[in-house]
């Protein structure tokens, strides 16, 4: 059985646009601070300033216009006196960038006029649409005639289950790597604390003899090594970013499937099966097939992101290995310096 759904690759999606969302340094508002973001699109060659509410409005517009597309959820808004912690603001910025990236690279949403307005206009004016994608596109069924609605429903169910398992698996992998990263960061913090203790012990005293002086020199050298490790910047992890964007994309597909299963398809299928077949019933039949076809297309997009995340696993493992190897090498250097006080620290 064949069906006319084009394959989608991550490379195709990535080539569509590159989105950047950066925090504007100054936060606005006297009491309840709010953040603004510089939003840049490589495809359009634009940079505009947006607030969270602008993202929320774009989401509402797209969600209403494309009920059969996997429009991912926005990160939650949190009103905090003072504007929120730096970590919260950075995490929300990163989440907004992932959300807009998925939208701007989507095979259908990327060509939406409201999205272009959001990315290009200084003061965007977005209004909720009066009609959804099905009405705007017309009722023509582009699916091959040799595939029935029942066959499409079976394909939809199969794709839904496969991507459900992929979403669960990616979520497990992300939690594992997140814990591994956390352990490495905790160990680095311990090493910095160790360095502070070694530095305090290395302070010279009038009563020091030759052995004390030699030992304190070694303690100071060891403390300097820990300082070097503490100042090391963690590598930007593309593998983790790919996993996060895949989780967002596949999660969006799961929520789409949930909406369709909570009665949308069943109600339209029942109405379309009404006898005699009226013009309204035929329209519902077309809408039902349109929704199924769109869901199958969304499955291809989600698959592309999931595949990209899994293909990035070797690089993710290499990054984790390098980070832990640096920590292990430092422990070995500390042992050498303290075990052999006359030896020099290794050059870093």
């Amino acid at each position: 059985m064949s069906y006319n759904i084009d394959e989608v690759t991550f490379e195709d999606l990535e080539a569509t646009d590159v989105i950047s969302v950066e925090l504007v340094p100054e936060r606005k508002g006297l009491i309840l601070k709010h953040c603004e973001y510089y939003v840049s699109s490589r495809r359009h060659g634009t940079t505009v300033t947006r607030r969270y509410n602008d993202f929320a409005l774009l989401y509402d517009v797209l969600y209403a216009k494309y009920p059969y597309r996997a429009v991912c959820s926005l990160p939650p808004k949190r009103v905090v006196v003072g504007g929120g912690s730096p970590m919260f603001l950075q995490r929300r910025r990163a989440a907004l960038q992932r959300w807009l990236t998925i939208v701007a690279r989507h095979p259908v949403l990327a060509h939406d006029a409201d999205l272009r307005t959001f990315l290009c206009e200084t003061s965007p004016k977005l209004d909720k649409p009066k009609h959804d994608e099905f009405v705007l596109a017309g009722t023509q069924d582009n699916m091959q005639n040799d595939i029935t609605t029942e066959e499409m429903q079976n394909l939809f169910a199969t794709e839904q289950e496969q991507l459900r398992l992929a979403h669960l698996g990616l979520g497990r992998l992300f939690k594992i790597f997140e814990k591994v990263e956390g352990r490495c960061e905790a160990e680095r913090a311990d090493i910095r604390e160790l360095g502070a203790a070694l530095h305090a012990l290395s302070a010279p005293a009038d009563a020091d003899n030759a052995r004390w002086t030699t030992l304190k020199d070694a303690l100071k050298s060891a403390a300097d090594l820990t300082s070097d490790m503490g100042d090391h910047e963690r590598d930007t992890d593309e593998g983790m970013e790919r996993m996060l964007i895949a989780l967002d994309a596949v999660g969006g597909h799961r929520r789409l499937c949930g909406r369709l299963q909570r009665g949308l398809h069943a109600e339209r299928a029942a109405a379309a099966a009404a006898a005699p077949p009226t013009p309204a019933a035929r329209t519902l039949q077309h809408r039902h097939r349109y929704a199924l076809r769109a869901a199958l297309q969304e499955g291809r997009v989600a698959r592309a992101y999931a595949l990209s995340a899994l293909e990035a696993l070797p690089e993710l493992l290499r990054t984790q290995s390098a980070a832990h190897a640096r920590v292990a090498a430092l422990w070995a250097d500390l042992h050498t310096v303290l075990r052999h006080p006359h030896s020099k620290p290794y050059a870093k």
Side-chain angles (χ1 to χ4, degrees):
M1 179 175 58
S2 63
Y3 55 103
N4 185 27
I5 298 292
D6 294 334
E7 289 296 328
V8 178
T9 68
F10 178 77
E11 290 74 21
D12 294 335
L13 299 172
E14 193 175 37
T16 304
D17 203 350
V18 174
I19 295 294
S20 172
V21 177
E22 299 295 337
L23 276 167
V24 176
E26 302 83 9
R27 281 175 277 173
K28 308 297 178 63
L30 295 176
I31 298 176
L32 295 178
K33 302 286 187 181
H34 65 263
C35 295
E36 292 186 338
Y37 303 90
Y38 293 128
V39 176
S40 300
S41 164
R42 187 180 68 180
R43 177 186 182 188
H44 298 288
T46 55
T47 297
V48 293
T49 303
R50 296 288 180 261
R51 293 180 56 181
Y52 179 91
N53 288 343
D54 297 321
F55 284 87
L57 179 56
L58 177 62
Y59 169 82
D60 290 341
V61 169
L62 295 178
Y63 190 87
K65 192 186 297 186
Y66 301 97
Y68 310 123
R69 302 293 171 183
V71 182
C72 300
S73 299
L74 280 174
K77 182 177 182 179
R78 190 178 77 180
V79 178
V80 180
V81 176
S85 70
M87 180 176 292
F88 166 77
L89 295 176
Q90 283 298 333
R91 285 180 175 175
R92 188 171 69 175
R93 179 210 63 78
L96 288 172
Q97 179 170 294
R98 290 196 302 272
W99 180 84
L100 191 56
T101 294
I102 293 172
V103 169
R105 291 178 176 177
H106 190 279
V108 174
L109 304 183
H111 307 290
D112 182 79
D114 289 308
L115 173 64
R116 188 184 186 285
T117 297
F118 178 88
L119 292 172
C120 300
E121 301 296 330
T122 303
S123 301
K125 295 181 179 179
L126 306 180
D127 297 317
K128 287 189 179 181
K130 297 179 180 178
H131 304 289
D132 66 15
E133 176 190 8
F134 171 76
V135 175
L136 296 173
T139 60
Q140 182 178 359
D141 184 6
N142 294 322
M143 184 66 76
Q144 293 180 359
N145 294 327
D146 58 349
I147 182 170
T148 66
T149 300
E150 183 178 359
E151 289 172 331
M152 292 171 65
Q153 288 174 325
N154 291 335
L155 287 170
F156 169 72
T158 300
E159 188 85 293
Q160 178 186 10
E161 177 61 15
Q162 291 175 348
L163 285 170
R164 183 187 71 84
L165 295 175
H167 188 248
L168 292 175
L170 287 170
R172 290 181 66 186
L173 288 177
F174 178 76
K175 289 180 180 178
I176 291 169
F177 282 111
E178 192 175 40
K179 287 191 291 186
V180 170
E181 276 194 354
R183 286 195 295 269
C184 188
E185 284 300 311
E187 191 169 11
R188 289 166 62 86
D190 289 339
I191 289 173
R192 288 192 291 269
E193 184 65 23
L194 172 65
L198 292 174
H199 188 271
L201 289 169
S202 70
D206 293 338
D208 290 347
N209 57 26
R211 289 178 63 183
W212 270 104
T213 300
T214 299
L215 179 59
K216 287 186 175 183
D217 286 344
L219 293 174
K220 186 177 185 306
S221 296
D224 290 341
L225 282 177
T226 64
S227 176
D228 292 342
M229 172 59 78
D231 292 339
H232 182 84
E233 293 184 3
R234 193 173 70 182
D235 294 336
T236 300
D237 200 336
E238 182 181 354
M240 288 293 277
E241 283 300 312
R242 283 201 183 192
M243 196 165 292
L244 280 169
I245 202 168
L247 282 169
D248 288 347
V250 181
H253 179 266
R254 287 193 66 182
R255 284 186 289 276
L256 170 67
C257 293
R259 294 200 304 272
L260 297 180
Q261 279 196 323
R262 284 194 296 270
L264 188 60
H265 279 180
E267 291 173 1
R268 285 176 176 154
T278 63
R282 284 192 291 271
T283 298
L284 285 171
Q285 284 181 332
H286 286 303
R287 180 179 280 276
H288 183 56
R289 287 177 61 84
Y290 186 95
L292 284 169
R293 185 172 190 275
L296 292 174
Q297 291 172 334
E298 295 305 295
R300 294 296 182 265
V301 174
R303 276 182 173 274
Y305 280 112
L307 179 61
S308 169
L310 293 175
E311 288 179 337
L313 278 177
E315 178 61 20
L316 182 54
L317 292 170
R318 185 203 65 78
T319 302
Q320 295 296 334
S321 174
H324 286 271
R326 285 194 294 269
V327 174
L330 177 59
W331 285 118
D333 288 353
L334 290 172
H335 170 265
T336 300
V337 170
L338 295 175
R339 180 67 179 81
H340 306 286
H342 295 289
S343 64
K344 297 293 184 182
Y346 295 131
K348 295 295 180 185

